[in-house]
Amino acid sequence: MKKYAYNEITVMQYILLIHGTQVGIGMLTMPRDLAAKAGTDGWISIIIGGIMAMVVSLILVSAMKRRPEMSIVEILQLLLGKWLGKVAVLILTLYCLLAAATIFAYAISLINVWLLPQTPSFIIVLLFTIPAYQVIQGGVRILGRYSELVFYLTLWMPVVLITTWPKMNWVHLLPVIKEGWKPILHATQSTVLSFLGFELAFYLYPFLQKKQYAAAGIVVANTLSMLVFLSVTIFCFGFFSPDEITQFTWPTLGLWKVIEFRFLERVDIIFLAFFLFILSTTGFPYIYFTVFSTSQLLGHQDHRRHLQIFLLLIIIVGWLYTPSFSDLSKLVDLWGKIGFIFAYAFPVLLSIAMLFLRKTSVGQKV
Amino acid sequence: MRKALHILLSIIVLLSLPGCMDRIDLEDATLSLMVGLDLNEKNELLYYVSSPVFNREAKVKSEEYGIRAESLRQARGRFDEIVSGVTLAGKIQVFCVGKRLLETPDWFRLMDVVYRDARFSVNARMVSFDGPVHDLFHSSPPTKPRIALHLTKLIDTANRRNVTVKTTMQELHRQMYEKGMTPSITKLDKNKEVKVMGTALLTEKGAFATLISGDETPYLQMLLHGKIGEISLSMPYPDGQQDKKIVKKRISYFVKGVDKKIKATYVDGRFQFDVDMKLRVSISERQFPFDMEKDYVKMEKVIEKEILHEYQKLITKCQKLKIDPFGFGLYARAHAYPEWKKIENDWPNTFAQATVRIVPDVTIKGNGIVK
């Protein structure tokens, strides 16, 4: 009898859940960060970053394969014993919480800058929490369906972006590899944060219906995200001058601002409204797995009570405190650093530990 | 209980909606369609705004105001003291800079709010006006629509025929920050009617450098963008002794396609640009008899020579003034990066020393519908 029989996700949902978690705030700032570090060679860094993410993803999936029915919460307790395991899960939960909080705060400040500068942020928080509750209370299956739906809903974006093609100056991209590989490798760091999200496969794996596609699925998800980042970055590099692009905080939005149709000006406003959906597919899984872990830790079956408390806390925090833009960039930096440990170092460690685990359990049988 | 909770929740949501404090009704808004910036004799900054009036009682359908202020944001406050609605900048179509201001260095810094405030439209056309901006804003010819809409259309259609560039505020930002090129914007003038004068070429800092006419602008446009819109060129046929005649020997042609290849090299301490231009043209006007079927190669050579001549004139002029509106610096960066890196902050001076070799290659594809 499968443990998550009523909450399984299809391979498509699994791919788009991971993809949705990856494509988030990084998409807006990435071209600027890359241009500042590696000039217009920054797109090469995305490919390197993508390959790194794929390799680690595969290690992660191979680790999870050894205990296919177990969630990471149970695996950690099995590995480290009851108490130490709980501490490890708590750390993991805090990481998810950090990610969720960062995305939430970022989304709200973005609306405050671009769309509604006069509206107090706690009202936006309030409006955010309601759809968040409705989606997340349904569990992984609803989350998966939601991510899939949002993916289809945003398929028009690349088509509209293509309309900027005649304004591109591809000569900006030359010469390829201007200053050698050093700045390119240096800039790869900035792409790390954007590829974060595949580490949620730790949580997602037990829910996956057809586990034989887990490895292929995660590679597809990473490739998809890589293509999105690549296209956005290359378009920004083509449009903005290499000397100019570092002047923008969100070059991607600047690019959308230029698009204009006879029947519609300010396409960026519409893009931003849709971008909130994209951001929600980044934030919701983190929120879900925060409350999922805490409810598992406390031995509760239903995560909804925890979700209610969590969202209530977010409203209260949003009411009491609005992060400034420098707080936000610190938060994003922090997430990037900690995320690097959780997404890249942790799977490798876990994979080694799992190897060890199998040997001892085989030994016990004998 | 559950139902009551749901109802309560819905009420909270509904109540928070009017909390969106950025809501604005159209009748409370003054949409600035055109913004002007100028300098008066006492070197004080003047700001102008033109916005449409949506009111049945108002006789004139457009209002124009000018005030003194020190920044665009300050000016907005002053405008709010005069106009009936709230001044909004999201719909600006034309952004006009007066001649006197354009001659001061660093005027571009005044534009900061345009790029900083996310709600500003960045697609407005940049215009330089020859004369006091006041004249432009307060001219409303009875045969024309609202002045802002008239200018928008005027610039767009003039750009379609390539007699001027269409530099938006966003594009100006790019040209100002790009080290490898200098900006160029539309130039307007007004005697009785507002008229497109061609293109104003600016220096690296944004100050006015020179004007190129509507006849010369297509050459700049072809080098910048290849073929966009309609390019129609006209030239005298070099045949001596034609000055006295009333009907001169002239030939005009459409450019059907431009393929340009720009190659930058660094030879003997200076940059060298080889521009390979392949033009497909179609004769649209010929005011003299000529046997095209037999002598079309000769005609191609004549056109090539004229194009080369025009480019040489244009480029020498720019090099003398130390400006590079063509963006040759971009190619210097692309093809000779190590040398570019050394001089990137001093590109206009380096460009003045560079050699530019243009090789036009004209193919006559069409001869019109008569022989």
Side-chain angles (χ1 to χ4, degrees):
Chain A
M1 171 71 196
K2 279 180 174 172
K3 195 171 161 195
Y4 300 108
Y6 296 105
N7 224 342
E8 281 184 328
I9 49 173
T10 63
V11 178
M12 197 63 173
Q13 284 163 359
Y14 168 79
I15 292 171
L16 294 177
L17 245 175
I18 295 173
H19 168 69
T21 322
Q22 288 182 318
V23 177
I25 52 179
M27 195 170 117
L28 298 183
T29 49
M30 193 192 243
R32 196 266 324 262
D33 292 339
L34 291 178
K37 283 181 183 154
T40 46
D41 289 333
W43 59 274
I44 305 172
S45 310
I46 298 178
I47 298 177
I48 300 174
I51 292 169
M52 265 171 71
M54 273 180 229
V55 171
V56 180
S57 306
L58 288 175
I59 295 174
L60 189 157
V61 170
S62 75
M64 293 306 282
K65 226 189 270 173
R66 301 185 190 280
R67 287 284 186 278
E69 292 298 309
M70 279 181 153
S71 76
I72 187 73
V73 177
E74 290 155 306
I75 287 177
L76 280 174
Q77 288 183 359
L78 184 74
L79 268 174
L80 298 169
K82 202 180 167 198
W83 287 107
L84 212 57
K86 278 200 172 172
V87 172
V89 173
L90 192 68
I91 295 170
L92 206 60
T93 311
L94 284 176
Y95 165 70
C96 284
L97 181 69
L98 172 72
T102 310
I103 294 160
F104 221 92
Y106 204 93
I108 282 152
S109 87
L110 201 63
I111 298 176
N112 250 330
V113 172
W114 279 81
L115 292 177
L116 309 167
Q118 307 290 330
T119 306
S121 50
F122 76 89
I123 290 179
I124 306 171
V125 177
L126 197 67
L127 288 172
F128 253 124
T129 46
I130 290 146
Y133 179 74
Q134 285 184 326
V135 173
I136 300 167
Q137 55 105 8
V140 174
R141 174 178 276 184
I142 301 298
L143 267 179
R145 286 179 185 169
Y146 177 72
S147 291
E148 198 173 345
L149 179 73
V150 169
F151 179 76
Y152 297 139
L153 277 180
T154 50
L155 279 179
W156 58 272
M157 287 182 178
V159 180
V160 176
L161 203 59
I162 289 280
T163 59
T164 57
W165 186 272
K167 293 178 185 148
M168 295 294 156
N169 279 302
W170 297 118
V171 73
H172 287 161
L173 292 176
L174 291 172
V176 181
I177 311 175
K178 290 182 183 62
E179 315 245 340
W181 285 95
K182 218 176 137 193
I184 296 174
L185 292 176
H186 180 57
T188 308
Q189 276 182 343
S190 329
T191 64
V192 164
L193 173 64
S194 303
F195 280 105
L196 286 184
F198 64 84
E199 77 275 12
L200 285 185
F202 273 138
Y203 285 104
L204 292 172
Y205 188 84
F207 293 98
L208 184 61
Q209 217 169 33
K210 294 174 181 147
K211 298 218 166 40
Q212 65 270 34
Y213 296 120
I218 206 161
V219 169
V220 171
N222 276 314
T223 315
L224 208 58
S225 308
M226 192 171 85
L227 289 178
V228 171
F229 295 147
L230 259 182
S231 57
V232 166
T233 307
I234 289 184
F235 264 74
C236 279
F237 285 175
F239 181 76
F240 297 108
S241 145
D243 302 319
E244 176 200 17
I245 191 166
T246 48
Q247 299 283 327
F248 293 91
T249 318
W250 296 294
T252 312
L253 287 173
L255 183 59
W256 279 91
K257 219 174 155 181
V258 177
I259 303 172
E260 202 179 79
F261 297 111
R262 272 189 85 88
F263 53 89
L264 184 69
E265 281 179 27
R266 302 305 303 273
V267 182
D268 57 318
I269 303 287
I270 297 186
F271 168 75
L272 207 61
F274 268 85
F275 189 74
L276 294 178
F277 281 109
I278 299 184
L279 270 183
S280 71
T281 61
T282 313
F284 288 178
Y286 280 112
I287 298 177
Y288 175 74
F289 289 114
T290 310
V291 294
F292 174 82
S293 312
T294 52
S295 51
Q296 290 236 328
L297 266 180
L298 299 176
H300 295 167
Q301 272 305 310
D302 193 0
H303 69 277
R304 269 180 283 189
R305 177 70 42 185
H306 286 247
L307 180 63
Q308 283 159 10
I309 297 166
F310 179 83
L311 291 177
L312 199 68
L313 278 175
I314 277 193
I315 295 174
I316 293 168
V317 172
W319 188 40
L320 293 176
Y321 167 66
T322 313
S324 72
F325 76 96
S326 63
D327 292 346
L328 267 177
S329 66
K330 273 179 211 152
L331 206 58
V332 172
D333 269 0
L334 183 71
W335 178 30
K337 280 188 188 121
I338 295 180
F340 189 77
I341 300 168
F342 274 92
Y344 291 83
F346 184 54
V348 179
L349 282 176
L350 190 78
S351 166
I352 296 164
M354 294 289 269
L355 269 175
F356 185 67
L357 183 75
R358 194 167 76 154
K359 270 182 193 159
T360 49
S361 60
V362 168
Q364 273 168 359
K365 267 180 197 165
V366 174
Chain B
M1 179 61 203
R2 223 180 137 71
K3 210 174 180 182
L5 195 76
H6 276 195
I7 291 170
L8 193 74
L9 208 65
S10 319
I11 289 173
I12 292 174
V13 175
L14 281 175
L15 283 179
S16 65
L17 274 179
C20 164
M21 288 168 194
D22 298 79
R23 192 182 61 108
I24 186 161
D25 298 327
L26 191 59
E27 52 268 39
D28 291 339
T30 297
L31 306 167
S32 22
L33 291 182
M34 188 159 85
V35 170
L37 258 164
D38 203 2
L39 208 59
N40 68 9
E41 271 77 34
K42 288 182 233 152
N43 281 339
E44 291 166 321
L45 281 168
L46 301 174
Y47 289 82
Y48 295 88
V49 66
S50 164
S51 49
V53 178
F54 304 111
N55 191 326
R56 215 171 282 167
E57 285 163 32
K59 282 238 170 62
V60 186
K61 293 300 170 203
S62 163
E63 51 181 354
E64 283 84 26
Y65 294 103
I67 49 111
R68 260 201 332 260
E70 269 161 28
S71 78
L72 262 172
R73 243 315 105 89
Q74 195 193 11
R76 187 177 78 163
R78 298 265 166 89
F79 285 127
D80 283 337
E81 292 165 359
I82 316 171
V83 298
S84 45
V86 178
T87 326
L88 293 182
K91 286 277 175 195
I92 297 183
Q93 306 291 313
V94 179
F95 194 100
C96 179
V97 182
K99 190 187 174 196
R100 273 180 64 90
L101 184 64
L102 202 63
E103 276 158 6
T104 43
D106 293 333
W107 67 270
F108 184 69
R109 287 191 198 157
L110 295 172
M111 310 256 303
D112 182 71
V113 63
V114 174
Y115 305 110
R116 195 174 300 279
D117 186 345
R119 291 190 295 178
F120 242 93
S121 159
V122 287
N123 290 326
R125 296 133 189 91
M126 284 302 301
V127 164
S128 123
F129 183 66
D130 216 355
V133 174
H134 184 271
D135 290 356
L136 182 67
F137 274 69
H138 290 273
S139 67
S140 43
T143 55
K144 298 287 191 305
R146 294 177 177 114
I147 183 77
L149 299 182
H150 168 52
L151 289 188
T152 310
K153 197 117 210 148
L154 179 69
I155 297 163
D156 284 3
T157 46
N159 173 253
R160 200 151 82 192
R161 282 266 156 87
N162 280 300
V163 290
T164 186
V165 292
K166 183 179 167 183
T167 306
T168 59
M169 292 204 263
Q170 180 72 51
E171 178 64 17
L172 180 74
H173 189 264
R174 188 177 86 85
Q175 293 178 352
M176 287 297 293
Y177 279 97
E178 169 61 63
K179 288 170 182 162
M181 82 185 296
T182 56
S184 47
I185 61 178
T186 301
K187 184 140 175 97
L188 292 182
D189 192 13
K190 177 174 171 282
N191 278 332
K192 267 188 179 151
E193 296 269 325
V194 180
K195 184 184 159 201
V196 173
M197 296 279 288
T199 306
L201 305 182
L202 312 182
T203 65
E204 201 186 2
K205 291 244 157 64
F208 179 78
T210 187
L211 170 76
I212 58 170
S213 70
D215 291 339
E216 290 169 295
T217 306
Y219 293 99
L220 171 69
Q221 288 281 80
M222 278 197 290
L223 209 51
L224 274 174
H225 309 293
K227 186 196 179 265
I228 292 184
E230 193 183 304
I231 303 174
S232 175
L233 298 170
S234 178
M235 56 178 266
Y237 189 75
D239 197 15
Q241 40 100 24
Q242 55 168 317
D243 296 341
K244 289 153 209 151
K245 286 183 189 161
I246 292 173
V247 179
K248 295 193 171 97
K249 282 190 171 182
R250 273 194 90 82
I251 184 156
S252 309
Y253 53 91
F254 284 119
V255 178
K256 292 163 78 90
V258 182
D259 295 312
K260 50 152 190 165
K261 270 200 197 93
I262 303 179
K263 184 89 189 136
T265 41
Y266 192 74
V267 197
D268 299 333
R270 55 164 68 184
F271 280 98
Q272 182 181 320
F273 297 96
D274 291 290
V275 186
D276 196 9
M277 282 189 110
K278 286 194 168 48
L279 292 107
R280 280 163 280 138
V281 308
S282 172
I283 306 291
S284 57
E285 182 183 54
R286 191 187 73 219
Q287 297 181 160
F288 57 94
F290 189 86
D291 190 354
M292 279 301 277
E293 270 173 41
K294 217 173 81 196
D295 283 336
Y296 72 96
V297 180
K298 193 180 156 202
M299 185 59 97
E300 284 175 356
K301 288 279 168 285
V302 169
I303 296 175
E304 276 170 18
K305 212 175 147 194
E306 170 68 14
I307 290 174
L308 183 64
H309 176 66
E310 284 290 332
Y311 270 119
Q312 276 169 344
K313 227 168 58 184
L314 193 60
I315 287 168
T316 322
K317 189 172 167 184
C318 290
Q319 283 186 321
K320 257 187 203 145
L321 290 161
K322 296 189 173 152
I323 50 175
D324 176 16
F326 317 97
F328 278 117
L330 292 167
Y331 296 91
R333 171 166 53 215
H335 301 302
Y337 190 73
E339 286 83 13
W340 158 262
K341 199 75 200 155
K342 284 175 213 151
I343 50 88
E344 63 172 354
N345 291 320
D346 190 31
W347 174 245
N349 280 320
T350 318
F351 177 65
Q353 310 294 323
T355 323
V356 182
R357 281 197 264 180
I358 300 212
V359 186
D361 177 13
V362 173
T363 330
I364 298 178
K365 292 279 182 192
N367 188 33
I369 54 172
V370 289
K371 261 199 162 174

